[in-house]
mmCIF file of all heavy atoms in Angstrom:
data_model
loop_
_atom_site.group_PDB
_atom_site.id
_atom_site.type_symbol
_atom_site.label_atom_id
_atom_site.label_comp_id
_atom_site.label_asym_id
_atom_site.label_seq_id
_atom_site.Cartn_x
_atom_site.Cartn_y
_atom_site.Cartn_z
ATOM 1 N N LEU A 1 10.118 -14.158 -8.208
ATOM 2 C CA LEU A 1 8.999 -14.036 -9.143
ATOM 3 C C LEU A 1 9.206 -12.869 -10.100
ATOM 4 O O LEU A 1 8.896 -12.972 -11.286
ATOM 5 C CB LEU A 1 7.679 -13.899 -8.386
ATOM 6 C CG LEU A 1 7.260 -15.156 -7.613
ATOM 7 C CD1 LEU A 1 6.066 -14.865 -6.724
ATOM 8 C CD2 LEU A 1 6.987 -16.312 -8.561
ATOM 9 N N LYS A 2 9.766 -11.765 -9.615
ATOM 10 C CA LYS A 2 10.051 -10.614 -10.485
ATOM 11 C C LYS A 2 11.086 -10.996 -11.539
ATOM 12 O O LYS A 2 10.968 -10.608 -12.698
ATOM 13 C CB LYS A 2 10.538 -9.427 -9.646
ATOM 14 C CG LYS A 2 10.676 -8.150 -10.423
ATOM 15 C CD LYS A 2 9.325 -7.665 -10.895
ATOM 16 C CE LYS A 2 9.419 -6.352 -11.635
ATOM 17 N NZ LYS A 2 8.155 -6.019 -12.292
ATOM 18 N N ALA A 3 12.096 -11.783 -11.152
ATOM 19 C CA ALA A 3 13.114 -12.218 -12.104
ATOM 20 C C ALA A 3 12.550 -13.213 -13.109
ATOM 21 O O ALA A 3 12.926 -13.207 -14.283
ATOM 22 C CB ALA A 3 14.298 -12.835 -11.354
ATOM 23 N N THR A 4 11.637 -14.068 -12.666
ATOM 24 C CA THR A 4 11.062 -15.104 -13.530
ATOM 25 C C THR A 4 9.997 -14.546 -14.460
ATOM 26 O O THR A 4 9.893 -14.966 -15.614
ATOM 27 C CB THR A 4 10.461 -16.228 -12.658
ATOM 28 O OG1 THR A 4 11.485 -16.743 -11.802
ATOM 29 C CG2 THR A 4 9.905 -17.359 -13.501
ATOM 30 N N LEU A 5 9.203 -13.613 -13.969
ATOM 31 C CA LEU A 5 8.086 -13.034 -14.727
ATOM 32 C C LEU A 5 8.207 -11.503 -14.694
ATOM 33 O O LEU A 5 7.389 -10.820 -14.053
ATOM 34 C CB LEU A 5 6.760 -13.493 -14.124
ATOM 35 C CG LEU A 5 6.492 -15.000 -14.190
ATOM 36 C CD1 LEU A 5 5.438 -15.428 -13.180
ATOM 37 C CD2 LEU A 5 6.087 -15.382 -15.601
ATOM 38 N N PRO A 6 9.212 -10.944 -15.350
ATOM 39 C CA PRO A 6 9.499 -9.508 -15.200
ATOM 40 C C PRO A 6 8.395 -8.572 -15.681
ATOM 41 O O PRO A 6 8.324 -7.431 -15.217
ATOM 42 C CB PRO A 6 10.776 -9.307 -16.022
ATOM 43 C CG PRO A 6 10.813 -10.449 -16.977
ATOM 44 C CD PRO A 6 10.137 -11.600 -16.283
ATOM 45 N N GLU A 7 7.516 -9.018 -16.550
ATOM 46 C CA GLU A 7 6.444 -8.155 -17.055
ATOM 47 C C GLU A 7 5.126 -8.317 -16.305
ATOM 48 O O GLU A 7 4.166 -7.599 -16.584
ATOM 49 C CB GLU A 7 6.240 -8.380 -18.557
ATOM 50 C CG GLU A 7 7.448 -7.981 -19.404
ATOM 51 C CD GLU A 7 7.855 -6.523 -19.205
ATOM 52 O OE1 GLU A 7 6.974 -5.637 -19.168
ATOM 53 O OE2 GLU A 7 9.070 -6.266 -19.075
ATOM 54 N N VAL A 8 5.075 -9.246 -15.361
ATOM 55 C CA VAL A 8 3.874 -9.415 -14.544
ATOM 56 C C VAL A 8 3.999 -8.509 -13.326
ATOM 57 O O VAL A 8 5.000 -8.580 -12.606
ATOM 58 C CB VAL A 8 3.703 -10.891 -14.106
ATOM 59 C CG1 VAL A 8 2.533 -11.034 -13.132
ATOM 60 C CG2 VAL A 8 3.510 -11.796 -15.315
ATOM 61 N N PRO A 9 3.019 -7.661 -13.068
ATOM 62 C CA PRO A 9 3.081 -6.827 -11.866
ATOM 63 C C PRO A 9 3.095 -7.699 -10.600
ATOM 64 O O PRO A 9 2.255 -8.581 -10.439
ATOM 65 C CB PRO A 9 1.809 -5.984 -11.929
ATOM 66 C CG PRO A 9 1.377 -6.034 -13.359
ATOM 67 C CD PRO A 9 1.830 -7.370 -13.876
ATOM 68 N N ILE A 10 4.080 -7.430 -9.748
ATOM 69 C CA ILE A 10 4.214 -8.150 -8.478
ATOM 70 C C ILE A 10 3.883 -7.153 -7.367
ATOM 71 O O ILE A 10 4.460 -6.066 -7.307
ATOM 72 C CB ILE A 10 5.649 -8.697 -8.267
ATOM 73 C CG1 ILE A 10 6.149 -9.496 -9.473
ATOM 74 C CG2 ILE A 10 5.730 -9.496 -6.959
ATOM 75 C CD1 ILE A 10 5.490 -10.821 -9.706
ATOM 76 N N TYR A 11 2.957 -7.538 -6.488
ATOM 77 C CA TYR A 11 2.532 -6.701 -5.373
ATOM 78 C C TYR A 11 2.856 -7.398 -4.056
ATOM 79 O O TYR A 11 2.775 -8.621 -3.960
ATOM 80 C CB TYR A 11 1.016 -6.465 -5.413
ATOM 81 C CG TYR A 11 0.541 -5.688 -6.614
ATOM 82 C CD1 TYR A 11 0.196 -6.347 -7.792
ATOM 83 C CD2 TYR A 11 0.432 -4.304 -6.556
ATOM 84 C CE1 TYR A 11 -0.240 -5.631 -8.902
ATOM 85 C CE2 TYR A 11 -0.003 -3.592 -7.658
ATOM 86 C CZ TYR A 11 -0.335 -4.257 -8.832
ATOM 87 O OH TYR A 11 -0.764 -3.551 -9.925
ATOM 88 N N VAL A 12 3.162 -6.598 -3.048
ATOM 89 C CA VAL A 12 3.263 -7.091 -1.678
ATOM 90 C C VAL A 12 2.335 -6.217 -0.853
ATOM 91 O O VAL A 12 2.455 -4.988 -0.862
ATOM 92 C CB VAL A 12 4.711 -7.025 -1.145
ATOM 93 C CG1 VAL A 12 4.759 -7.330 0.345
ATOM 94 C CG2 VAL A 12 5.597 -8.000 -1.909
ATOM 95 N N ASP A 13 1.384 -6.849 -0.179
ATOM 96 C CA ASP A 13 0.429 -6.114 0.644
ATOM 97 C C ASP A 13 1.006 -5.995 2.050
ATOM 98 O O ASP A 13 0.973 -6.942 2.837
ATOM 99 C CB ASP A 13 -0.924 -6.825 0.640
ATOM 100 C CG ASP A 13 -2.047 -5.893 1.007
ATOM 101 O OD1 ASP A 13 -1.796 -4.916 1.745
ATOM 102 O OD2 ASP A 13 -3.181 -6.148 0.560
ATOM 103 N N ALA A 14 1.570 -4.834 2.350
ATOM 104 C CA ALA A 14 2.349 -4.624 3.575
ATOM 105 C C ALA A 14 1.559 -4.900 4.853
ATOM 106 O O ALA A 14 2.114 -5.419 5.822
ATOM 107 C CB ALA A 14 2.902 -3.202 3.601
ATOM 108 N N ALA A 15 0.277 -4.580 4.864
ATOM 109 C CA ALA A 15 -0.538 -4.772 6.066
ATOM 110 C C ALA A 15 -0.828 -6.237 6.349
ATOM 111 O O ALA A 15 -1.297 -6.588 7.434
ATOM 112 C CB ALA A 15 -1.850 -4.005 5.946
ATOM 113 N N TYR A 16 -0.535 -7.096 5.381
ATOM 114 C CA TYR A 16 -0.795 -8.532 5.502
ATOM 115 C C TYR A 16 0.516 -9.305 5.601
ATOM 116 O O TYR A 16 0.556 -10.503 5.318
ATOM 117 C CB TYR A 16 -1.616 -9.014 4.307
ATOM 118 C CG TYR A 16 -2.975 -8.358 4.220
ATOM 119 C CD1 TYR A 16 -3.104 -7.069 3.723
ATOM 120 C CD2 TYR A 16 -4.107 -9.025 4.649
ATOM 121 C CE1 TYR A 16 -4.354 -6.457 3.656
ATOM 122 C CE2 TYR A 16 -5.357 -8.420 4.578
ATOM 123 C CZ TYR A 16 -5.468 -7.131 4.086
ATOM 124 O OH TYR A 16 -6.703 -6.531 4.015
ATOM 125 N N CYS A 17 1.571 -8.603 5.987
ATOM 126 C CA CYS A 17 2.897 -9.206 6.166
ATOM 127 C C CYS A 17 3.447 -8.775 7.520
ATOM 128 O O CYS A 17 3.043 -7.753 8.071
ATOM 129 C CB CYS A 17 3.871 -8.720 5.089
ATOM 130 S SG CYS A 17 3.466 -9.211 3.411
ATOM 131 N N ALA A 18 4.395 -9.547 8.024
ATOM 132 C CA ALA A 18 5.122 -9.166 9.234
ATOM 133 C C ALA A 18 6.545 -9.661 9.087
ATOM 134 O O ALA A 18 6.791 -10.730 8.516
ATOM 135 C CB ALA A 18 4.468 -9.766 10.486
ATOM 136 N N GLY A 19 7.462 -8.870 9.606
ATOM 137 C CA GLY A 19 8.869 -9.243 9.553
ATOM 138 C C GLY A 19 9.368 -9.744 10.892
ATOM 139 O O GLY A 19 8.617 -9.816 11.867
ATOM 140 N N VAL A 20 10.636 -10.051 10.927
ATOM 141 C CA VAL A 20 11.266 -10.475 12.173
ATOM 142 C C VAL A 20 11.139 -9.362 13.208
ATOM 143 O O VAL A 20 10.871 -9.609 14.377
ATOM 144 C CB VAL A 20 12.744 -10.863 11.924
ATOM 145 C CG1 VAL A 20 13.460 -11.154 13.229
ATOM 146 C CG2 VAL A 20 12.819 -12.075 10.993
ATOM 147 N N THR A 21 11.319 -8.115 12.753
ATOM 148 C CA THR A 21 11.082 -6.927 13.580
ATOM 149 C C THR A 21 10.334 -5.920 12.711
ATOM 150 O O THR A 21 10.394 -5.995 11.479
ATOM 151 C CB THR A 21 12.401 -6.282 14.064
ATOM 152 O OG1 THR A 21 13.082 -5.740 12.919
ATOM 153 C CG2 THR A 21 13.281 -7.283 14.804
ATOM 154 N N PRO A 22 9.660 -4.949 13.312
ATOM 155 C CA PRO A 22 9.018 -3.905 12.498
ATOM 156 C C PRO A 22 10.029 -3.158 11.609
ATOM 157 O O PRO A 22 9.708 -2.795 10.473
ATOM 158 C CB PRO A 22 8.384 -2.980 13.540
ATOM 159 C CG PRO A 22 8.110 -3.886 14.710
ATOM 160 C CD PRO A 22 9.286 -4.840 14.730
ATOM 161 N N GLU A 23 11.239 -2.961 12.117
ATOM 162 C CA GLU A 23 12.265 -2.257 11.340
ATOM 163 C C GLU A 23 12.709 -3.070 10.130
ATOM 164 O O GLU A 23 12.841 -2.531 9.024
ATOM 165 C CB GLU A 23 13.484 -1.927 12.228
ATOM 166 C CG GLU A 23 13.196 -0.983 13.375
ATOM 167 C CD GLU A 23 12.495 -1.638 14.570
ATOM 168 O OE1 GLU A 23 12.557 -2.883 14.720
ATOM 169 O OE2 GLU A 23 11.865 -0.910 15.347
ATOM 170 N N SER A 24 12.929 -4.364 10.324
ATOM 171 C CA SER A 24 13.363 -5.194 9.190
ATOM 172 C C SER A 24 12.229 -5.381 8.184
ATOM 173 O O SER A 24 12.468 -5.491 6.984
ATOM 174 C CB SER A 24 13.925 -6.538 9.665
ATOM 175 O OG SER A 24 12.949 -7.294 10.335
ATOM 176 N N HIS A 25 10.992 -5.381 8.657
ATOM 177 C CA HIS A 25 9.815 -5.408 7.776
ATOM 178 C C HIS A 25 9.847 -4.182 6.855
ATOM 179 O O HIS A 25 9.729 -4.303 5.635
ATOM 180 C CB HIS A 25 8.543 -5.423 8.640
ATOM 181 C CG HIS A 25 7.259 -5.144 7.941
ATOM 182 N ND1 HIS A 25 6.603 -6.081 7.173
ATOM 183 C CD2 HIS A 25 6.495 -4.011 7.905
ATOM 184 C CE1 HIS A 25 5.478 -5.543 6.695
ATOM 185 N NE2 HIS A 25 5.405 -4.298 7.118
ATOM 186 N N GLU A 26 10.027 -3.011 7.443
ATOM 187 C CA GLU A 26 10.046 -1.762 6.663
ATOM 188 C C GLU A 26 11.235 -1.725 5.704
ATOM 189 O O GLU A 26 11.097 -1.293 4.549
ATOM 190 C CB GLU A 26 10.070 -0.545 7.602
ATOM 191 C CG GLU A 26 9.913 0.776 6.891
ATOM 192 C CD GLU A 26 8.645 0.907 6.055
ATOM 193 O OE1 GLU A 26 7.584 0.394 6.450
ATOM 194 O OE2 GLU A 26 8.725 1.530 4.974
ATOM 195 N N ASN A 27 12.404 -2.181 6.141
ATOM 196 C CA ASN A 27 13.583 -2.220 5.267
ATOM 197 C C ASN A 27 13.324 -3.114 4.052
ATOM 198 O O ASN A 27 13.711 -2.771 2.933
ATOM 199 C CB ASN A 27 14.812 -2.717 6.027
ATOM 200 C CG ASN A 27 15.341 -1.701 7.003
ATOM 201 O OD1 ASN A 27 15.068 -0.513 6.895
ATOM 202 N ND2 ASN A 27 16.105 -2.176 7.981
ATOM 203 N N ALA A 28 12.680 -4.248 4.280
ATOM 204 C CA ALA A 28 12.382 -5.169 3.176
ATOM 205 C C ALA A 28 11.393 -4.544 2.200
ATOM 206 O O ALA A 28 11.543 -4.685 0.981
ATOM 207 C CB ALA A 28 11.834 -6.491 3.715
ATOM 208 N N LEU A 29 10.402 -3.848 2.715
ATOM 209 C CA LEU A 29 9.433 -3.185 1.834
ATOM 210 C C LEU A 29 10.129 -2.161 0.950
ATOM 211 O O LEU A 29 9.877 -2.077 -0.259
ATOM 212 C CB LEU A 29 8.320 -2.522 2.655
ATOM 213 C CG LEU A 29 7.422 -3.468 3.450
ATOM 214 C CD1 LEU A 29 6.477 -2.670 4.355
ATOM 215 C CD2 LEU A 29 6.647 -4.408 2.546
ATOM 216 N N LYS A 30 11.044 -1.382 1.524
ATOM 217 C CA LYS A 30 11.786 -0.379 0.754
ATOM 218 C C LYS A 30 12.671 -1.048 -0.299
ATOM 219 O O LYS A 30 12.775 -0.555 -1.429
ATOM 220 C CB LYS A 30 12.624 0.496 1.687
ATOM 221 C CG LYS A 30 11.789 1.454 2.496
ATOM 222 C CD LYS A 30 12.636 2.261 3.457
ATOM 223 C CE LYS A 30 11.766 3.156 4.313
ATOM 224 N NZ LYS A 30 12.543 3.830 5.354
#
């Protein structure tokens, strides 16, 4: 979405996501 719409603000709400592991979740957020 960032590549397709580069001027539209893209947000990820971290508290409403979960990863395969907590560590991989945090790595993806970074």
Side-chain angles (χ1 to χ4, degrees):
L1 293 171
K2 188 66 178 170
T4 303
L5 296 160
E7 296 303 316
V8 174
I10 309 290
Y11 296 89
V12 171
D13 202 332
Y16 298 78
C17 295
V20 174
T21 67
E23 297 78 21
S24 62
H25 167 78
E26 187 57 36
N27 288 340
L29 295 173
K30 288 177 183 173

